[in-house]
Amino acid sequence: PPAHPSASGRHHVTEVDAPTHLRSGEKFDLNVSIQANQSMQVTVRVFSQSEMIYEGGHDLHKGLQTLSLPLTAQDPGFVTYQVQVTPQQDAFYQNNRLDTFSQVEGPPRILVVAPPEGEVIPGGEVRPDETSLMLASLTSAGFDVKMIAPNLLPADLPTLAQYNSVVLVDVPARQLDRNQMETLQSYVRDLGGGLVAVGGPTSYGVGGYYGTPLEDALPVDMQIKDEKRRPSLTIVFIIDHSGSMSETSGGVTKLELAKEAA
């Protein structure tokens, strides 16, 4: 058990660390490093915007230690977290306060890109509803969702960067121009933006993705490169063997020539 604290017991808050970016409602740990010259009991309080959001008692041991305080990010904005550590039995005044900062952001923004329901797709079929269940799931999970047609996909990086992820729902490449696809590729490759591609009868290979920046942005290839994965194929040759096929040409029968050609 820790030694009984005395008036000479001292501690010093050396560091307070929190994630620089948080989502509203996200749970995280506020890490507080404390240097103590002996074992003691302390009360730790955390204030945010002048409101106390944490209070708890902790036992310190002699030396440097780190306390992980469980917190939840509140409303979006630039937030200051002030930590106060007070010995439960120590009248000696000491530096026991330190601040840190976080940027709390709102719900993640998702851009859903999908062709309109009811349009006629190659083969004469009518495109069914491919998005309503996904939109309902994303919205119920707390995401900020916007849905647009493929021709409205932003072709400039600053606009696309406002979204945390882009979802393509059965989008054929022919409905996107090259600038849109190159911007989407840069959004994923250079900015680390999220990209979800939902397949369907007008996407991937049949959607014309091969050789486009859109294919480069995806973790799949539009061609099968592994020969072992190619489907087996049987070819049957039917060769005429009537009387004329027994005639020779250059010392070889026409039937043998036909076999060789096959």
Side-chain angles (χ1 to χ4, degrees), residues 210 215 221-230:
Y210 176 68
E215 180 190 19
D221 294 320
M222 299 301 115
Q223 283 190 324
I224 298 176
K225 298 180 180 180
D226 183 356
E227 294 291 338
K228 294 180 179 179
R229 296 172 57 196
R230 289 188 178 274

Side-chain angles (χ1 to χ4, degrees), residues 80-94:
T80 301
Y81 296 105
Q82 182 186 82
V83 177
Q84 295 182 353
V85 180
T86 306
Q88 296 179 1
Q89 299 183 37
D90 195 339
F92 186 84
Y93 176 79
Q94 47 197 291

Side-chain angles (χ1 to χ4, degrees), residues 152-182:
L152 297 178
L153 178 68
D156 63 292
L157 204 54
T159 301
L160 201 58
Q162 297 176 19
Y163 298 93
N164 300 96
S165 184
V166 175
V167 181
L168 304 179
V169 183
D170 198 15
V171 176
R174 63 179 177 275
Q175 293 188 9
L176 301 173
D177 62 34
R178 189 165 188 87
N179 286 338
Q180 288 174 307
M181 289 190 283
E182 288 179 347

Side-chain angles (χ1 to χ4, degrees), residues 49-68:
Q49 317 303 100
S50 302
E51 177 184 354
M52 187 170 67
I53 59 174
Y54 176 89
E55 182 179 29
H58 293 268
D59 292 329
L60 301 184
H61 60 74
K62 182 178 180 180
L64 182 64
Q65 56 245 277
T66 299
L67 306 179
S68 294

Side-chain angles (χ1 to χ4, degrees), residues 66-110:
T66 299
L67 306 179
S68 294
L69 311 180
L71 300 178
T72 301
Q74 303 299 319
D75 296 334
F78 189 73
V79 180
T80 301
Y81 296 105
Q82 182 186 82
V83 177
Q84 295 182 353
V85 180
T86 306
Q88 296 179 1
Q89 299 183 37
D90 195 339
F92 186 84
Y93 176 79
Q94 47 197 291
N95 180 9
N96 60 2
R97 294 173 46 174
L98 206 60
D99 297 353
T100 190
F101 311 93
S102 292
Q103 179 69 40
V104 179
E105 301 177 358
R109 301 186 67 195
I110 309 296

Side-chain angles (χ1 to χ4, degrees), residues 127 168-173 197-209 222:
R127 185 182 298 279
L168 304 179
V169 183
D170 198 15
V171 176
V198 181
T202 60
S203 64
Y204 292 107
V206 294
Y209 288 19
M222 299 301 115

